[in-house]
Amino acid sequence: MASSSQSELRNPLQKHEENLKYEDMTPLQKHVAFFDRNKDGLIYPWETFQGFRAIGAGIGLSIAASLFINFKLGLKTRPGKFPSLFFPIHIKNINKGKHGSDTDTFDSEGRFVPEKFEEIFKKYAKTKPDALSSKELDDLLKGNKESNGQ
């Protein structure tokens, strides 16, 4: 009885994914699962907003990031041909969200590549060896965009 009443309380507009078990997720799926606030396998813009607020981002950045990220990744990770008006990000398909200015710290299957992660700091971390300043992060993004022909 409790399980049927819980399913009735779900948002009828929301399609629920088969939940991935955390231990079966790729590192990239685990990374984005933080933003899946209700743990249904889908990340909606309001969940992205909440996740950004949870890590200390301001309201303006959280709004802009949630709209931009969900629009871009929602289209790429959506199964089928037609987009959803709510632009959910499908965690199970997050590997399809790789983009041209990507750092390649996650491979095309969503596995973490530690060597690529270390390369970022060797190449761009000038102020502190284990962190990137805002300018260094900008340099990283510009460098990746140029090296990937965008």
Side-chain angles (χ1 to χ4, degrees):
M1 173 99 179
S3 64
S4 66
S5 65
Q6 282 180 343
S7 64
E8 291 170 14
L9 296 175
R10 288 184 173 167
N11 181 346
L13 299 174
Q14 205 170 8
K15 180 183 176 198
H16 292 267
E17 293 286 309
E18 283 185 32
N19 288 337
L20 293 170
K21 292 182 181 173
Y22 188 79
E23 59 272 6
D24 295 335
M25 290 181 173
T26 67
L28 182 56
Q29 289 169 329
K30 289 176 182 177
H31 173 70
V32 300
F34 168 79
F35 293 92
D36 184 11
R37 308 312 274 181
N38 63 1
K39 306 300 179 209
D40 66 353
L42 301 171
I43 305 167
Y44 286 89
W46 50 88
E47 292 178 294
T48 304
F49 173 85
Q50 292 168 353
F52 268 82
R53 294 293 291 151
I55 61 173
I59 291 174
L61 175 61
S62 299
I63 291 170
S66 64
L67 295 174
F68 178 77
I69 290 168
N70 279 77
F71 179 74
K72 291 291 209 175
L73 291 178
L75 291 173
K76 289 184 175 187
T77 63
R78 177 104 174 133
K81 295 180 181 179
F82 300 103
S84 165
L85 295 177
F86 294 106
F87 298 104
I89 298 167
H90 294 249
I91 293 175
K92 71 178 182 179
N93 297 333
I94 194 64
N95 62 307
K96 295 177 181 178
K98 286 185 61 71
H99 48 83
S101 60
D102 203 291
T103 61
D104 291 327
T105 55
F106 294 98
D107 68 13
S108 62
E109 299 298 316
R111 295 176 299 244
F112 182 64
V113 183
E115 299 81 18
K116 294 286 188 179
F117 187 70
E118 290 300 322
E119 281 179 29
I120 293 170
F121 294 96
K122 288 178 186 169
K123 187 172 181 178
Y124 294 101
K126 308 294 184 208
T127 311
K128 295 180 182 177
D130 61 348
L132 296 177
S133 68
S134 179
K135 182 184 179 330
E136 292 164 347
L137 182 58
D138 285 343
D139 292 344
L140 163 69
L141 295 173
K142 286 177 189 170
N144 283 345
K145 192 172 186 178
E146 291 167 6
S147 70
N148 290 316
Q150 291 189 347

